[in-house]
Amino acid sequence: MSIRIRSRAEPMSLRAPVGVPERPIILAPSEAGALLHHELRRYADGEVKGRSFLVAGHRGAGKTTMVEAQLRDVASQGQELKMRLLPVYLNGPALLDELAAGGKSESGIGDELSISRVLQKVLLALYQATGREYVLRFGICARSADVRRPALPLNEPLEMAARFELELAEGLAPGRLNELWRYLDVVDRGLLFNPGTTRSSDPQQGFKEIVALHSLNEAYMRIAGKLQDSYERNANSAQSSEASFGLEAKGADFVKPLAVLGTGAAVTAASATPGNIGTALWLGLVSALGASMLLKLSSTRKRSREAKRGRSWMPDTSASTLDRVIPLLIDRLKQAGLAPVFIVDELDKVEELWGALSPVVRRFKMLFTESSFTCLLVDRSHFEQLMREEREDERGRHFSYFSHRVLMNYEPAQLRAYLSELLEVKP
């Protein structure tokens, strides 16, 4: 009699989504997996805003495989659900080792820098996972028959897909994203979902995708480099008027008018009546004197009024603001149809896990429990320590940290069914 182990595909491997018959996914069923599947489906369908699972078990018990299997099963039902799950993988030691080594203060004093770096790593993982999803869907749309119009060269859509992947790492402005979406003709229905699905029927789907990706890219730039922005507003007004008065007489011009007016006065006197000769002469002389004086009259008034106001606004783009930014990013991703699921693995390899994990979970409970779905994979010792803490204080601070605490246990009947499917026995 020979016993052969059947070749099987891991849940999130390249072979798994296509369902190759010779490499099926063979997993042992468990109550923990059934509960996780139920809550993941509710989360993807928008029934709950978030959940936090503590998945405990000995090393090699299959915690990671179980989580990935449930993610894949729910993802296969994506056409029926409001959102598609977006797995975001985080390595426990890389995430918490620094905090475990130097930031164990329960009061939160002295560990701000370490916690800020934890958020940076979370944001980086979220950005990478989202970028992979967008690049994958962009490539699928570029290869579709709708984009391969006769007027375009054969390889141009594929070239655009490669260019999109490269530009995504450098940061894409909203105008550029809108240009790419218009190139694929997905501004309305978007590119993350297949035509005919519920999400693609949303006329604003494409704009929601652009907003989510641009917002995430802006946040990524905060930790990838130095981001600066400025805003200035000025207002001013001025009014001026001038008035002056002057009298000017020039001697050179005095004689000519006098001679002319004298002649005129003589003529007037000669032609006047005998009783009015003196009056006429007097009037002629006065006129001559008045005309001989060069009068210059001008008026100037000056009045000036000026108002100027300046304002400069610089947004706080430091990493310390990520605790307020990341929940907004998650919300925008959900509006675009992607539901992030954070999987923090290898936590059993973190030294002093209890002291390192508690401040993070307590500080960001709203982020990891109420805004998104989080799976923390720990060993059984951490689970037992948590149970002891709760027995001593049933409603203590650890009570609401996790929505569910599951222990990887298999019933004998479940193991027998798994082995019978995994092993091929030949006489």
Side-chain angles (χ1 to χ4, degrees), residues 172-243:
L172 289 171
R176 177 58 174 164
L177 290 174
N178 186 69
E179 178 185 346
L180 291 170
W181 261 242
R182 289 190 180 279
Y183 177 83
L184 295 180
D185 195 22
V186 292
V187 175
D188 296 330
R189 64 180 177 86
L191 60 81
L192 293 178
F193 295 86
N194 297 327
T197 62
T198 304
R199 295 292 307 188
S200 65
S201 61
D202 184 356
Q204 295 183 335
Q205 175 62 27
F207 297 107
K208 291 177 181 179
E209 294 174 357
I210 293 175
V211 168
L213 184 58
H214 174 66
S215 301
L216 192 58
N217 185 75
E218 286 285 309
Y220 167 73
M221 291 173 66
R222 297 189 181 196
I223 62 174
K226 187 176 182 181
L227 180 64
Q228 288 185 340
D229 202 353
S230 63
Y231 171 79
E232 186 175 352
R233 181 180 178 183
N234 294 312
N236 59 75
S237 61
Q239 180 180 356
S240 176
S241 62
E242 183 177 343

Side-chain angles (χ1 to χ4, degrees), residues 55 59 73 80 88-89 138 143 166 170 202 207-208 216 230-231 257 266 301 306 311 324 353 375 407 411 420 423:
V55 183
R59 293 181 182 178
D73 288 347
E80 308 171 7
V88 181
Y89 290 92
F138 195 99
R143 291 190 296 270
L166 293 175
E170 302 174 357
D202 184 356
F207 297 107
K208 291 177 181 179
L216 192 58
S230 63
Y231 171 79
R301 278 182 193 167
E306 183 175 355
R311 185 175 63 175
R324 302 190 297 271
L353 177 61
C375 292
L407 191 61
E411 298 294 332
S420 64
L423 302 178

Side-chain angles (χ1 to χ4, degrees), residues 375-392:
C375 292
L376 302 175
L377 280 56
V378 300
D379 61 0
R380 185 156 184 162
S381 62
H382 186 87
F383 178 84
E384 293 173 351
Q385 185 174 359
L386 179 63
M387 294 297 102
R388 286 195 301 269
E389 291 279 341
E390 290 194 354
R391 281 195 296 269
E392 295 174 1

Side-chain angles (χ1 to χ4, degrees), residues 120-184:
Q120 293 181 41
K121 295 170 185 176
V122 171
L123 175 60
L124 178 61
L126 180 62
Y127 179 74
Q128 292 174 340
T130 305
R132 285 193 298 269
E133 187 69 20
Y134 271 82
V135 168
L136 174 64
R137 297 303 305 178
F138 195 99
I140 293 175
C141 288
R143 291 190 296 270
S144 66
D146 296 339
V147 181
R148 291 185 176 277
R149 296 182 288 272
L152 296 177
L154 182 63
N155 293 330
E156 183 175 331
L158 302 180
E159 180 185 349
M160 290 294 294
R163 190 180 304 170
F164 171 71
E165 185 173 3
L166 293 175
E167 293 181 4
L168 189 62
E170 302 174 357
L172 289 171
R176 177 58 174 164
L177 290 174
N178 186 69
E179 178 185 346
L180 291 170
W181 261 242
R182 289 190 180 279
Y183 177 83
L184 295 180

Side-chain angles (χ1 to χ4, degrees), residues 7-310:
S7 178
R8 61 194 180 100
E10 295 183 356
M12 301 298 285
S13 64
L14 294 176
R15 290 276 188 168
V18 296
V20 179
E22 63 270 17
R23 290 192 179 180
I25 300 174
I26 303 174
L27 297 173
S30 64
E31 294 182 4
L35 178 60
L36 180 60
H37 182 278
H38 174 71
E39 292 298 331
L40 281 171
R41 197 180 191 287
R42 294 183 64 204
Y43 175 64
D45 208 25
E47 294 182 9
V48 294
K49 295 190 299 182
R51 284 289 185 266
S52 179
F53 263 72
L54 183 72
V55 183
H58 294 298
R59 293 181 182 178
K63 301 184 293 294
T64 306
T65 304
M66 184 271 292
V67 172
E68 291 182 342
Q70 305 312 321
L71 286 170
R72 179 186 175 278
D73 288 347
V74 176
S76 64
Q77 306 170 7
Q79 302 288 345
E80 308 171 7
L81 305 175
K82 292 179 64 65
M83 297 178 288
R84 187 164 64 247
L85 297 179
L86 177 68
V88 181
Y89 290 92
L90 293 161
N91 181 267
L95 186 69
L96 298 176
D97 268 353
E98 182 180 351
L99 191 62
K104 304 176 185 177
S105 173
E106 289 293 320
S107 63
I109 300 175
D111 60 0
E112 289 298 323
L113 180 60
S114 299
I115 289 182
S116 176
R117 289 175 179 169
V118 168
L119 287 177
Q120 293 181 41
K121 295 170 185 176
V122 171
L123 175 60
L124 178 61
L126 180 62
Y127 179 74
Q128 292 174 340
T130 305
R132 285 193 298 269
E133 187 69 20
Y134 271 82
V135 168
L136 174 64
R137 297 303 305 178
F138 195 99
I140 293 175
C141 288
R143 291 190 296 270
S144 66
D146 296 339
V147 181
R148 291 185 176 277
R149 296 182 288 272
L152 296 177
L154 182 63
N155 293 330
E156 183 175 331
L158 302 180
E159 180 185 349
M160 290 294 294
R163 190 180 304 170
F164 171 71
E165 185 173 3
L166 293 175
E167 293 181 4
L168 189 62
E170 302 174 357
L172 289 171
R176 177 58 174 164
L177 290 174
N178 186 69
E179 178 185 346
L180 291 170
W181 261 242
R182 289 190 180 279
Y183 177 83
L184 295 180
D185 195 22
V186 292
V187 175
D188 296 330
R189 64 180 177 86
L191 60 81
L192 293 178
F193 295 86
N194 297 327
T197 62
T198 304
R199 295 292 307 188
S200 65
S201 61
D202 184 356
Q204 295 183 335
Q205 175 62 27
F207 297 107
K208 291 177 181 179
E209 294 174 357
I210 293 175
V211 168
L213 184 58
H214 174 66
S215 301
L216 192 58
N217 185 75
E218 286 285 309
Y220 167 73
M221 291 173 66
R222 297 189 181 196
I223 62 174
K226 187 176 182 181
L227 180 64
Q228 288 185 340
D229 202 353
S230 63
Y231 171 79
E232 186 175 352
R233 181 180 178 183
N234 294 312
N236 59 75
S237 61
Q239 180 180 356
S240 176
S241 62
E242 183 177 343
S244 65
F245 177 80
L247 181 63
E248 181 180 0
K250 296 183 179 179
D253 297 328
F254 180 74
V255 178
K256 293 179 181 179
L258 184 60
V260 174
L261 290 176
T263 303
V267 174
T268 302
S271 61
T273 60
N276 295 329
I277 292 177
T279 303
L281 182 59
W282 172 251
L283 291 174
L285 291 173
V286 171
S287 299
L289 290 173
S292 68
M293 306 210 39
L294 210 55
L295 279 178
K296 181 180 180 181
L297 180 64
S298 64
S299 86
T300 302
R301 278 182 193 167
K302 286 187 177 181
R303 181 182 301 169
S304 179
R305 183 175 60 189
E306 183 175 355
K308 186 175 182 180
R309 184 180 65 180

